[in-house]
Amino acid sequence: MIYVVGALILWGLGWMLNARLANGPRANTRAVQIAVPVIFGATILLIWELIVRGLSVPLVILPPPSMIATTFANSLPILWADFVQTFVKGALSGFVIGGVAAFLLAIVVDRYDFLRRGLLPVGNFMAALPIVGTAPILVMWFGFDWQSKAAVVVVMVFFPILVNTVAGLRDTSDMQRDLMRTYGASYGQTLFKLRLPAAMPFIFNGLKIATTLALVGAIVAEFFGSPTRGMGFRISTSVGQLALDMVWAEIVVAALAGSFFYGAIALCEKGVTFWHPSQRS
Amino acid sequence: MVSNLIISAQNLDLTFQTNDGPVHALKDVSLEIGKGEFVSFIGPSGCGKTTFLRCIAGLEQPTGGQISVNGMTPDEARKARAYGYVFQAAGLYPWRTIGGNIKLPLEVMGFSKAEQAERVARVMDLVDLSGFQKKFPWQLSGGMQQRASIARALAFDADILLMDEPFGALDEIVRDHLNEQLLALWARTEKTIGFVTHSIPEAVYLSTKIVVMSPRPGRITDVIDSPLPRERPLDIRDSKEFIEIAHRVRDGLRAGHQDDV
Amino acid sequence: MFKRSVLPVLTVLGVIMALWYAACIPMNSAWTIQQLERSGETMTVSEHIADTWAQERPRLPAPHQVAAELWDTTVMKKITSKKSLIYHGWITLSATLLGFGIGTTLGVLLAVGIVHSRAMDMSVMPWAIVSQTIPIIAIAPMIIVVLYSIGVQGMLPKAIISAYLSFFPVVVGMVKGLRSPDAMQLDLLRTYSANKSQSFWKLRLPASVPYLFASLKIGVAASLVGAIVGELPTGAVRGLGARLLAGSYYGQTIQIWSALFAAAILAAGLVALIGLLERVTLRRMGERP
C-alpha cells in the first residue's frame, strides 16, 4: 500500500515540478524543453514500478520496468539477432526497394499527364487501405524468411512515397517553370535543376511516413510465419509463453528502431531541405 | 520604320479559351521597338500588357498576326537565348545561394565553369550585390532579391531584357532606388528593355517610349515617345516635361477606361 | 470531366486487371503442369491458360474468382452464417468503430488539454509525436493475451488496440488545428476581451475542423488495421483478420484475397464516409464548394 501512496505522491511532485518549469521564466530554453518530457517519462516509469509492486500485479499481466530492463540487458544477443532479422533484412531492404521503385515510377507518371491522372487517384486510394493484410499472401509466395517481410514492406511504403513524390514534382510555380523556358531548358535540365530540388520536402514527407510503415509491415508479417527469430516472431511466441518481460524488451527494441530510423531520415531531410521554411529557424 | 528594328508585332491577336468562354487578351496589337530603346507598357489589369510581353518571350502563342524578335519567331529567339526575363517576384531558388541562382541560366546554357564564375562576379557587381554570393535568398531583403533576379537575367548577356512589373511588390523608397540603378545599368549595357508597370511615374521616369494599353479587348491606345533626355536624375520628376507626359499617359488610360464604365 | 479524370483511372484499372490475369498464368501454371504429368493428359495452350484461371487453390487467384467468392460469401450466404463475409466484416467493423470512437474522443480531449496547459503540452506532446514514429501495433498481441487472462475477450481488446492506434494521430492533428488561428485572429478576440472558453468555441474549435477531419481519416484507417491485427494472435475464429489467418493456415488463397478485398472495401467505405462528413460540415461552415 505504501508503494501506491508513494506513486500518488510522486505523480503530484512530478507534475508540480513540470508545471513550475513549464510556466517559469526559462520555459523556452532548450534545457527545460528537454527536461520536462524526460521528467514526465521518468515519473510514469517510476509510478508503473511502484504500482506493480504495491498492488502485486501478476507478472503475466504487467511486469515492472526494472524487470524489463533486466531482461533487456540479459538478452542482448537474442534482441540483436531479432533486430537484424526484422529491421535490417526485412524493413530496411524493403524500404529501399519500395522507395526507389516508387520514386522512379513517380518520375514516369509525372512525365505523362494521362498516367498521372489515372494512377494518382488509384495510388491515393491504395495508400489508405490496410495493405498489411497482404502479408499472408506474400508470406505464401516468398517463404518464411526475410524476403517475404521485405515484400510486405515494399508494398506498404510504395504508395505513400509515390503519391508524395508525384505531388512534390508538381509543386513548382508557373513562374519558376516559365523561367526555365526562357532559358530554353530541356526536360532533363528542368527536372534536375528545378523540380527535383523543389520536390524534396514532399519526398521526405513520404519517406518519414514510410519509416513507421516499414517496421509495422516487417513485424506484422512475422505473425503470419517466420524463421525462429525476428521481432514479430519473438513477440508472438513470448506472448504465448506469457513471458511478458521479453515482449516488452522487444517493444523497447521496436521503439528504439522506429525512432532512430525516423530520426535518421529527418536528419537527412534537414541536410537536404535546409532552405525550406519549415527547416529554417 | 524604326532603325535597327529588334521587336516587331503586326496585328497581333490572342484569345484564351476559358471555362467562361473566350477571353480576348490582345486585339490587333502592332508595335515596333528599335535597338537600345526602353519601352514601358502601362495599363489597368487585364489590358494584356503582361500577355504581350509573354508573346515577345514566346511564353504565349498568339492566335493571329505576326511577331518577330531579332528577325526570328519568338520561339526561335527564346531557344537562341535572345532575352533575359525578370518576373514579378524574384523567384530565386531557395536551395541555391545567390551566386548559384545567377549561375543557373549559365549552367542550363552550358557555359564553362571558369566563364560561369567570371560572369557571376561581373553581373553581381553590376547590380551592387558583390559580397552576397554565398548568402541564401531568404537571408536577403526583397529589394536585394529582385536585384539578384535582374543579375540572373543579365548573366548570359542577351541583348533584350524583358521585365514584368519587377518592382511591383517593393516599397516606394526601394523602388526609386532600383529605378535609378536600372537606368544606369541600361546606359552602361545599351540593352533593349521591355518593361511592364502599372505606375505612371515609373513608366515616365524610365522610358524612351511609353505604350498605353486598355482592356477588354487588350489593345494599344497610345504610344508616347518621351522627349526627356537619356540622362535622368530622380528630380527630373518635378520638371514640366515630366508632368506633361504623365498627364498624357493618364489621359490615355482614362480614355481607354471610358467605354466600360 | 469524363475524359480528364474518369477515363485515365479506368484505363489504369484496366491495365492492372490485364496484368493480374497475365500474372496468374506463370504463377499458377506449375500446378497445372503437375496435374497433367500425373494424369498423363495433354492440353492446348488456351486450355492451359484457362486452367490457370480456374484452379481451386491457385497461388494467385484470378480476379473473377475473387469476385465470385466475394459474391458467394456476401449475397448468397445468410449474414448469421459463419461463412458470410458480412458477418466477419461486421465483427471487425464493430470493434473498429468502438475503438475509433474511444480513441478519437480521448484524443480530442487530450488535445484540448495540451492547448490550454503549458505543462501538459511540454510533458506529453513530445511523446505523442515520438509515438508516431514507432510501430505501436507491436503491443497488439500482448494486449489481447493480457486482457484474455483477466477475463476480457471478444470485441473490447480489439477495440482498445483500435483506440490507441487512432488516438495519437488525432491528438497531433487536433493540437495543430487548435493552434492554427494566427496571431491576428487571436488578437482580434483579445480586443473584444473574450475569455479563454469564448476564444475556444468561437475561434480555435471551428479553425481546427479541417485538421480534425484529416486526422480522422488517418485514424479510422489505423483503427481498422488495429482491429484486424488484433484478431491474429489468439487464433480468433471470427472477423476479417481471422479469415486471413485461417486462409493462410489452410492455403485457401481465394479466401485470403476475398477477405483482403473486404477489408479494403471497408477501409475505403469508412474513409469515404468521413470524407463525405467533412464536405458536408465544411460546406455548412461556409467553405466554398
Side-chain angles (χ1 to χ4, degrees):
Chain A
M1 205 57 216
I2 189 85
Y3 283 123
V4 179
V5 175
L8 287 175
I9 292 172
L10 195 69
W11 174 252
L13 282 177
W15 193 252
M16 249 167 61
L17 181 60
N18 267 355
R20 285 191 59 173
L21 280 174
N23 296 314
R26 304 166 73 86
N28 287 324
T29 58
R30 191 148 178 84
V32 172
Q33 273 171 352
I34 293 173
V36 172
V38 169
I39 292 171
F40 181 77
T43 318
I44 296 271
L45 282 183
L46 277 171
I47 290 169
W48 172 357
E49 181 86 32
L50 289 172
I51 296 233
V52 168
R53 289 184 181 215
L55 300 180
S56 355
V57 176
L59 293 182
V60 294
I61 291 181
L62 190 66
S66 58
M67 187 178 166
I68 297 168
T70 319
T71 310
F72 186 93
N74 291 339
S75 2
L76 281 179
I78 299 181
L79 294 175
W80 176 253
D82 290 347
F83 170 79
V84 170
Q85 171 74 16
T86 305
F87 183 78
V88 180
K89 291 189 184 167
L92 210 55
S93 59
F95 182 82
V96 171
I97 299 170
V100 171
F103 179 76
L104 294 179
L105 183 64
I107 287 180
V108 176
V109 165
D110 173 74
R111 178 99 210 236
Y112 302 99
D113 199 47
F114 187 83
L115 254 183
R116 184 177 61 79
R117 281 181 212 288
L119 257 174
L120 211 53
V122 177
N124 268 319
F125 178 76
M126 295 294 284
L129 296 186
I131 292 186
V132 73
T134 56
I137 296 161
L138 293 168
V139 169
M140 214 177 271
W141 287 356
F142 294 97
F144 279 180
D145 209 350
W146 62 270
Q147 291 87 344
S148 61
K149 289 23 176 214
V152 175
V153 175
V154 167
V155 186
M156 284 192 80
V157 303
F158 185 80
F159 293 102
I161 297 179
L162 174 72
V163 170
N164 274 287
T165 309
V166 171
L169 286 172
R170 301 194 57 74
D171 190 55
T172 49
S173 62
D174 286 341
M175 198 186 78
Q176 289 173 319
R177 267 173 281 143
D178 279 346
L179 181 71
M180 291 307 272
R181 280 177 67 197
T182 67
Y183 302 152
S186 67
Y187 166 79
Q189 284 173 324
T190 311
L191 182 67
F192 283 106
K193 295 205 186 291
L194 169 61
R195 300 175 55 228
L196 275 180
M200 280 303 158
F202 286 78
I203 296 176
F204 273 102
N205 193 29
L207 289 179
K208 285 195 288 188
I209 295 170
T211 55
T212 319
L213 289 177
L215 264 174
V216 169
I219 292 175
V220 173
E222 288 181 3
F223 295 163
F224 287 95
S226 67
T228 55
R229 59 181 180 281
M231 288 150 74
F233 164 81
R234 194 76 56 204
I235 287 173
S236 56
T237 48
S238 300
V239 161
Q241 300 157 351
L242 295 176
L244 289 195
D245 50 337
M246 191 64 193
V247 177
W248 278 102
E250 217 43 90
I251 287 167
V252 172
V253 175
L256 288 176
S259 340
F260 278 112
F261 194 12
Y262 185 93
I265 298 287
L267 215 62
C268 294
E269 179 185 29
K270 223 177 159 56
V272 174
T273 67
F274 63 93
W275 48 271
H276 195 256
S278 67
Q279 301 286 340
R280 294 183 223 148
S281 50
Chain B
M1 204 49 197
V2 189
S3 63
N4 291 323
L5 199 62
I6 293 281
I7 295 163
S8 141
Q10 267 122 40
N11 314 104
L12 214 58
D13 265 300
L14 178 58
T15 313
F16 289 118
Q17 298 299 334
T18 71
N19 286 333
D20 304 329
V23 171
H24 220 139
L26 292 175
K27 187 178 184 323
D28 204 19
V29 170
S30 299
L31 186 73
E32 297 189 327
I33 299 175
K35 184 164 172 45
E37 280 196 275
F38 196 128
V39 182
S40 282
F41 301 91
I42 189 165
S45 53
C47 72
K49 54 192 193 294
T50 294
T51 309
F52 183 52
L53 202 72
R54 290 172 64 86
C55 283
I56 299 174
L59 294 173
E60 303 287 355
Q61 291 303 323
T63 43
Q66 297 286 322
I67 181 163
S68 77
V69 177
N70 276 348
M72 297 176 270
T73 69
D75 249 353
E76 286 164 355
R78 175 162 67 83
K79 296 205 170 99
R81 285 124 188 192
Y83 62 85
Y85 201 105
V86 179
F87 292 87
Q88 273 167 332
L92 301 168
Y93 292 174
W95 54 86
R96 282 172 173 254
T97 59
I98 297 297
N101 267 288
I102 297 172
K103 206 156 52 171
L104 174 74
L106 305 175
E107 286 173 13
V108 171
M109 295 171 189
F111 284 83
S112 74
K113 281 261 187 290
E115 175 127 36
Q116 287 179 15
E118 187 261 314
R119 280 171 180 259
V120 169
R122 178 154 46 94
V123 292
M124 287 195 68
D125 186 44
L126 214 54
V127 297
D128 248 352
L129 276 179
S130 303
F132 290 94
Q133 190 157 359
K134 295 248 156 60
K135 292 273 185 218
F136 283 92
W138 28 275
Q139 297 168 322
L140 265 56
S141 70
M144 288 164 97
Q145 289 186 28
Q146 198 54 279
R147 258 154 49 202
S149 89
I150 294 171
R152 182 178 58 186
L154 293 172
F156 50 99
D157 219 7
D159 295 333
I160 307 171
L161 194 55
L162 300 174
M163 309 176 87
D164 182 8
E165 293 188 39
F167 309 138
L170 305 175
D171 67 61
E172 189 104 17
I173 298 164
V174 176
R175 187 184 245 212
D176 277 351
H177 181 62
L178 289 181
N179 279 340
E180 227 181 338
Q181 280 194 319
L182 182 60
L183 275 185
L185 196 113
W186 173 61
R188 250 194 292 173
T189 55
E190 299 179 330
K191 292 197 187 302
T192 311
I193 298 182
F195 190 95
V196 168
T197 180
H198 53 231
S199 152
I200 297 173
E202 190 174 63
V204 179
Y205 176 65
L206 293 172
S207 325
T208 57
K209 184 185 267 186
I210 302 160
V211 178
V212 183
M213 299 183 71
S214 87
R216 278 174 299 263
R219 63 195 186 277
I220 294 176
T221 49
D222 197 4
V223 177
I224 305 163
D225 282 305
S226 172
L228 297 176
R230 283 179 88 101
E231 190 82 13
R232 298 172 189 183
L234 267 178
D235 55 20
I236 202 172
R237 294 183 296 186
D238 301 322
S239 72
K240 217 176 107 214
E241 291 96 328
F242 188 98
I243 292 165
E244 264 168 23
I245 307 167
H247 241 281
R248 193 170 149 197
V249 174
R250 190 167 290 119
D251 284 344
L253 288 174
R254 207 170 286 151
H257 244 287
Q258 259 161 13
D259 30 76
D260 57 50
V261 175
Chain C
M1 173 66 195
F2 176 81
K3 255 186 126 169
R4 281 181 61 85
S5 50
V6 181
L7 186 66
V9 173
L10 288 179
T11 314
V12 166
L13 290 178
V15 170
I16 291 175
M17 277 292 174
L19 286 176
W20 186 346
Y21 270 109
C24 286
I25 301 169
M27 290 289 279
N28 302 335
S29 109
W31 170 258
T32 306
I33 292 169
Q34 210 183 339
Q35 292 300 304
L36 287 178
E37 275 170 1
R38 201 167 294 167
S39 64
E41 290 172 55
T42 51
M43 269 185 180
T44 63
V45 173
S46 60
E47 279 173 336
H48 188 123
I49 289 173
D51 186 71
T52 61
W53 292 339
Q55 293 171 1
E56 203 183 317
R57 289 182 184 184
R59 288 183 70 190
L60 173 62
H64 68 265
Q65 290 178 293
V66 178
E69 169 82 4
L70 273 174
W71 176 261
D72 225 37
T73 50
T74 50
V75 183
M76 303 303 284
K77 293 275 188 299
K78 269 202 290 190
I79 50 169
T80 49
S81 157
K82 284 263 158 73
K83 284 187 173 163
S84 163
L85 259 186
I86 294 182
Y87 168 78
H88 290 287
W90 170 245
I91 298 283
T92 304
L93 179 65
S94 53
T96 304
L97 290 180
L98 179 62
F100 177 60
I102 298 171
T104 307
T105 312
L106 292 179
V108 169
L109 289 179
L110 182 64
V112 172
I114 284 176
V115 170
H116 284 101
S117 154
R118 225 178 126 63
M120 219 155 149
D121 175 19
M122 290 178 73
S123 309
V124 181
M125 204 51 194
W127 295 108
I129 292 170
V130 168
S131 75
Q132 302 235 285
T133 70
I134 63 180
I136 39 179
I137 203 163
I139 342 181
M142 190 176 56
I143 289 182
I144 301 285
V145 171
V146 166
L147 289 178
Y148 184 82
S149 72
I150 57 172
V152 181
Q153 50 179 310
M155 184 159 86
L156 197 59
K158 290 190 277 173
I160 290 174
I161 296 168
S162 287
Y164 79 67
L165 282 177
S166 56
F167 174 74
F168 290 110
V170 170
V171 172
V172 174
M174 195 66 187
V175 166
K176 216 178 189 178
L178 290 172
R179 292 233 168 98
S180 65
D182 60 35
M184 199 171 65
Q185 291 169 313
L186 285 167
D187 280 346
L188 179 70
L189 281 179
R190 211 170 298 153
T191 65
Y192 305 154
S193 62
N195 58 31
K196 267 196 169 182
S197 92
Q198 284 170 322
S199 65
F200 177 78
W201 291 106
K202 293 194 193 302
L203 176 60
R204 287 189 188 273
L205 195 65
S208 73
V209 171
Y211 293 83
L212 176 64
F213 277 109
S215 41
L216 286 184
K217 281 187 209 162
I218 299 170
V220 81
S223 280
L224 183 64
V225 172
I228 292 173
V229 173
E231 286 163 351
L232 300 179
T234 46
V237 287
R238 306 184 307 163
L240 292 177
R243 294 287 283 182
L244 284 176
L245 201 63
S248 90
Y249 277 157
Y250 303 114
Q252 295 284 1
T253 43
I254 301 182
Q255 182 186 324
I256 300 180
W257 279 87
S258 60
L260 190 59
F261 268 81
I265 293 165
L266 214 53
L270 287 171
V271 173
L273 199 67
I274 291 177
L276 189 74
L277 259 173
E278 178 182 21
R279 278 229 293 280
V280 172
T281 314
L282 289 183
R283 192 159 305 173
R284 281 231 179 129
M285 290 174 59
E287 196 195 55
R288 269 190 283 168

